[in-house]
Amino acid sequence: MTTPAESNLLEVQNLRVDFPTRRGTLIAVDDVSFEIKAGEVLGVVGESGAGKSLTGAAIIGLLEPPGRISGGEVRLAGKRIDNLAQEQIRQIRGREIGMVFQDPLTSLNPLFRVGEQLIETLQTHADLDEKSARKQAIDWLAEVGIPSPEVRIDQYPHQFSGGMRQRVVIALALCANPKLIIADEPTTALDVSIQAQIISLLKRLCREHGTAVMLITHDMGVIAETADRVAVMYAGRLVEIGEARKVIQNAKHPYTLGLMGSIPTIGDTEEELRQIQGSMPRLAEIPEGCAFNPRCPNVSDRCRKHRPELQSVDESSVACWLFEDAAVPSELS
Amino acid sequence: MLAFIIQRLLQAVVVMLSVSFVSFALFQFVGDPINNMVGQDATEAQRELLRERLGLNEPWPLQFIHYIGNIIQGEFGLSYRLGIPVEDLIADRLPATMELVLVSAFMALALGVPMGVYTGLNRNSWLSRLFLTISLIGISLPTFVIGILLILIFGVWLQWLPTFGRAGVVDLGWWTTSFLTLDGWRSLIMPSITLALFQLTLIMRLIRAEMLEVLRTDYIKFARARGLRNRAVHFRHALKNTLVPVITITGLQIGSLLAFSIITETVFQWPGMGLLILQAIQFVDIPVMSSYLVLIAFLFVLINLVVDLLYFIVDPRLRLDSLSRGAH
Ligand SMILES: Nc1ncnc2c1ncn2[C@@H]1O[C@H](COP(=O)(O)OP(=O)(O)OP(=O)(O)O)[C@@H](O)[C@H]1O
Ligand SMILES: [Mg+2]
């Protein structure tokens, strides 16, 4: 175990999230470790059900029962936050870690004016009187690119288009100046034409405010453009993590290769389009050994029996037996 | 919004006209009132005279127009049974029923809403389970059983409260009220609990179900993710979103409180409209029955209008939709 570097804003160590059920415990996030440096954008990718959202929810303390953190640690600026009392973690939410959800149409309370929701959030985290809170709210609306914010502030969410609403959501998530934003597929629900605008807005604002981002997405294009590093998840496990450029151009894990292969790039011809066979196992049916082994083109006996751990290969970390020789072998029980 | 109100008012007028027609038709189809009013040995001339006085000799469309005209002027005709104007009878009984219904509705809301919020937020606490169990009793026991049980316990055994009647009434001239004396409250309390219990459990269960639903929504998750305090998340963001269905149901339930009050008034011998209508039905006192019908319909229409207006206050989406619709 290495001592975490000073500059790490968020450290997730051996995080495990599970759901106790009548027929046993379902492990949805299994032994996941990564860190995010201040101001860094970490992309998180993986098939649907890989555990991306749950990892985000666990970090911010919003897992819904019966889901729970059953192992590992989450540290923010060196301080543990996974075992805090309700009130303490509440004070971290919004102020230290913000969150943006997928669907802007449902993220805003339909019965309150946009301004009321902004002002309420501002006043929760800072001692502001009504007038200066309102002024800041208008400034935030302007900052996320909403035209005539003095008028818009008194309107209700349904008077905004989807893209505009997601701008409001971003203002709400950023208005208490958190050091980290968890953006869970922030553009999936939007028109393709608007997605790029929202991503570049998020990117610009976070750069200006020095906010780190955990960007959960299915869009490799967004990762390539936005992320500094990328983490690949499969069946609740982290299978590869490294610098975005390296992972995209030189993917190591067979699953990552498959993911990259399934995105057609310009100039690709049909024969180049690779597909991963099969689908991700359900939580109750994750195989022994490497979770990816039934679908892996390079599967060996060892993959079926022993689970590979993350190990550095070149500049990335990969959990795959193929690269054992390239790193120090780690013993498994 | 104005267009909407006008539209609703027109609908209300149509409803009222239809109900008046039905209640008017009662006169035509239910027996000959003259037989009920005069004795067996009245002469044909006496009968004819009475018929003339009651306007029963005109063709029915004309009678209907008269009927409507009279209703609008607040004249509902003479009671066959008592021979005095129905509006006087009603004016005499209405305050008793209205006060009973109001106190019951207030009880049901003032207890049902907080209990619903509590059980929605603390699904597994023992108090929630207790509330839910009690509410099952409230829903499954018939009103009259609850009333009789209350009378037995608090009236007969403990002798804390009067078992029947409306004591301690203060006459204000245009209204009689129980609210001004201790005795008034003492006789009001058991009937209103009896009447409120079913509504209370209904509202509690409704709010609980709505709360559970709303707490799962994205905007609640996002409110929590912004670090808002629990108090703000639960009572500002969540509760307000449960209000629309609650307003609907409450409106409907005030109507059914009026209806259920017949049973409660019978059990407690509460001198309200329910008791009046029961006696009227026994005697086939058509003017009283038909006036009751018109009056209840009017109250329903009124409540519905209020409910519609409350929607506007609570939900901005309706407000703006109808604004833009109204502009065209
Ligand atoms: N309440 C629950 N009970 C049991 N399993 C659950 C529960 N909530 C989530 N899961 C499971 O946890 C796994 C991870 O879910 P998660 O939402 O994190 O996936 P994701 O990677 O965000 O997928 P997507 O790309 O579709 O958003 C899924 O297999 C899901 O079925
Ligand atoms: Mg997700």
Side-chain angles (χ1 to χ4, degrees):
Chain A
M1 210 190 273
T2 51
T3 30
E6 282 295 296
S7 64
N8 282 343
L9 173 64
L10 181 84
E11 288 151 12
V12 174
Q13 218 167 56
N14 307 105
L15 180 70
R16 189 174 139 134
V17 174
D18 64 24
F19 293 91
T21 67
R22 269 189 218 115
R23 269 171 283 132
T25 306
L26 297 175
I27 303 171
V29 175
D30 193 358
D31 202 15
V32 164
S33 306
F34 62 89
E35 61 280 324
I36 301 179
K37 295 187 179 57
E40 179 185 58
V41 178
L42 174 74
V44 179
V45 295
E47 266 165 288
S48 195
K52 308 181 296 291
S53 298
L54 288 178
T55 306
I59 291 170
I60 201 170
L62 282 178
L63 281 176
E64 280 174 37
R68 53 168 196 189
I69 298 181
S70 56
E73 290 183 7
V74 179
R75 280 190 298 269
L76 184 73
K79 226 179 65 206
R80 264 188 88 165
I81 59 168
D82 56 289
N83 56 357
L84 293 181
Q86 280 232 356
E87 174 60 16
Q88 285 172 301
I89 186 73
R90 178 192 70 72
Q91 288 182 10
I92 286 177
R93 289 199 286 261
R95 197 176 312 182
E96 310 274 338
I97 308 179
M99 187 139 189
V100 174
F101 290 100
Q102 178 172 344
D103 191 351
L105 299 184
T106 55
S107 290
L108 298 171
N109 193 328
L111 303 188
F112 291 91
R113 290 168 210 277
V114 160
E116 290 176 288
Q117 305 191 41
L118 259 168
I119 290 169
E120 177 186 30
T121 310
L122 286 162
Q123 286 183 326
T124 303
H125 295 294
D127 191 16
L128 288 172
D129 61 62
E130 196 68 28
K131 208 167 140 212
S132 46
R134 187 178 163 87
K135 189 173 167 304
Q136 282 196 22
I138 292 176
D139 290 347
W140 268 108
L141 288 181
E143 190 159 357
V144 295
I146 287 177
S148 47
E150 314 79 18
V151 181
R152 294 297 229 160
I153 190 170
D154 289 319
Q155 295 188 341
Y156 289 94
H158 70 272
Q159 293 167 282
F160 290 73
S161 67
M164 284 294 154
R165 278 194 229 187
Q166 197 65 315
R167 287 170 192 265
V168 174
V169 167
I170 290 172
L172 277 163
L174 283 172
C175 70
N177 292 310
K179 299 188 199 81
L180 171 69
I181 286 275
I182 301 174
D184 193 349
E185 308 191 34
T187 57
T188 310
L190 296 174
D191 263 16
V192 180
S193 54
I194 299 165
Q195 291 184 353
Q197 293 174 19
I198 296 295
I199 288 291
S200 71
L201 172 76
L202 194 65
K203 203 168 135 182
R204 176 175 62 79
L205 286 175
C206 289
R207 204 176 40 230
E208 287 171 10
H209 293 261
T211 315
V213 186
M214 175 173 164
L215 179 62
I216 300 171
T217 178
H218 287 269
D219 189 337
M220 284 298 170
V222 167
I223 294 285
E225 246 172 68
T226 316
D228 300 312
R229 290 192 309 137
V230 58
V232 183
M233 287 187 73
Y234 183 81
R237 302 166 186 192
L238 201 57
V239 296
E240 181 159 0
I241 180 167
E243 235 177 89
R245 209 160 28 89
K246 297 256 164 58
V247 172
I248 289 171
Q249 285 169 0
N250 188 13
K252 295 276 192 304
H253 196 285
Y255 177 65
T256 318
L257 275 169
L259 262 189
M260 301 301 159
S262 62
I263 328 153
T265 45
I266 299 164
D268 246 1
T269 42
E270 286 149 46
E271 9 100 56
E272 284 275 56
L273 253 180
R274 258 177 302 174
Q275 282 285 338
I276 321 172
Q277 299 299 313
S279 60
M280 205 171 64
R282 299 208 327 236
L283 290 187
E285 294 156 2
I286 294 176
E288 206 186 336
C290 173
F292 187 57
N293 81 62
R295 301 169 74 186
C296 183
N298 310 336
V299 62
S300 70
D301 257 3
R302 190 178 203 180
C303 308
R304 297 199 184 91
K305 294 219 180 68
H306 301 291
R307 177 174 165 182
E309 291 205 347
L310 272 185
Q311 52 193 329
S312 339
V313 179
D314 298 341
E315 279 136 276
S316 316
S317 298
V318 184
C320 178
W321 289 124
L322 284 178
F323 301 94
E324 202 206 355
D325 305 338
V328 194
S330 60
E331 206 44 58
L332 280 167
S333 53
Chain B
M1 174 140 186
L2 194 67
F4 175 83
I5 292 176
I6 291 172
Q7 183 199 344
R8 278 304 147 102
L9 283 176
L10 281 178
Q11 280 177 9
V13 169
V14 172
V15 170
M16 286 314 298
L17 275 178
S18 327
V19 172
S20 320
F21 185 75
V22 170
S23 72
F24 166 75
L26 279 179
F27 287 96
Q28 310 297 313
F29 299 123
V30 187
D32 181 0
I34 304 299
N35 274 338
N36 290 327
M37 297 183 73
V38 296
Q40 212 45 258
D41 38 85
T43 65
E44 197 49 42
Q46 279 173 318
R47 284 165 189 261
E48 202 45 46
L49 195 70
L50 193 58
R51 209 163 259 154
E52 199 67 44
R53 229 182 83 209
L54 294 173
L56 296 177
N57 282 337
E58 293 169 8
W60 72 262
L62 208 61
Q63 283 190 41
F64 183 52
I65 292 171
H66 279 168
Y67 180 73
I68 300 276
N70 287 341
I71 286 180
I72 291 172
Q73 293 166 39
E75 286 171 24
F76 290 87
L78 289 182
S79 158
Y80 292 166
R81 183 168 66 105
L82 302 169
I84 53 176
V86 176
E87 58 270 20
D88 292 351
L89 275 178
I90 289 179
D92 198 36
R93 300 297 191 93
L94 190 65
T97 297
M98 290 312 272
E99 288 192 345
L100 179 63
V101 167
L102 277 182
V103 171
S104 299
F106 179 78
M107 258 188 217
L109 281 175
L111 292 174
V113 171
M115 281 164 80
V117 170
Y118 180 84
T119 51
L121 291 177
N122 309 286
R123 259 186 297 177
N124 297 318
S125 81
W126 64 268
L127 194 58
S128 294
R129 299 211 174 122
L130 183 73
F131 283 164
L132 286 176
T133 314
I134 292 175
S135 83
L136 263 185
I137 299 172
I139 283 193
S140 46
L141 273 190
T143 309
F144 70 90
V145 174
I146 293 169
I148 290 170
L149 278 178
L150 286 179
I151 291 179
L152 190 67
I153 296 171
F154 296 101
V156 179
W157 289 346
L158 298 173
Q159 307 223 332
W160 288 353
L161 296 167
T163 54
F164 70 91
R166 188 179 183 225
V169 176
V170 176
D171 194 344
L172 302 176
W174 54 280
W175 191 264
T176 58
T177 181
S178 308
F179 294 166
L180 298 178
T181 63
L182 188 63
D183 269 350
W185 280 104
R186 274 163 44 88
S187 30
L188 186 56
I189 194 153
M190 281 205 293
S192 33
I193 288 176
T194 307
L195 192 55
L197 208 57
F198 180 79
Q199 317 299 330
L200 190 160
T201 55
L202 198 77
I203 288 174
M204 176 187 121
R205 285 176 164 259
L206 182 75
I207 294 253
R208 173 176 178 274
E210 284 296 321
M211 243 358 224
L212 290 177
E213 189 76 33
V214 169
L215 286 176
R216 270 199 297 270
T217 59
D218 283 355
Y219 54 82
I220 294 298
K221 282 187 205 147
F222 188 42
R224 287 195 204 285
R226 299 204 300 275
L228 300 186
R229 294 185 182 86
N230 271 344
R231 190 163 19 99
V233 174
H234 296 157
F235 296 101
R236 238 169 87 81
H237 288 268
L239 187 59
K240 193 167 181 189
N241 274 282
T242 67
L243 284 186
V244 168
V246 170
I247 290 170
T248 315
I249 296 294
T250 308
L252 288 175
Q253 289 309 308
I254 288 183
S256 76
L257 279 176
L258 283 167
F260 275 117
S261 71
I262 295 183
I263 300 171
T264 309
E265 288 179 8
T266 312
V267 172
F268 288 93
Q269 287 299 301
W270 188 257
M273 307 249 300
L275 221 50
L276 180 72
I277 185 66
L278 267 191
Q279 288 157 357
I281 290 171
Q282 280 161 15
F283 199 76
V284 201
D285 193 346
I286 304 288
V288 175
M289 285 162 67
S290 72
S291 311
Y292 181 78
L293 201 63
V294 172
L295 189 73
I296 294 292
F298 179 71
L299 289 176
F300 263 90
V301 165
L302 202 68
I303 290 166
N304 269 323
L305 273 178
V306 173
V307 165
D308 282 336
L309 290 181
L310 284 179
Y311 283 164
F312 274 92
I313 294 170
V314 170
D315 196 336
R317 284 165 294 187
L318 297 173
R319 228 177 290 161
L320 289 134
D321 283 356
S322 80
L323 251 190
S324 49
R325 240 191 290 130
H328 295 306

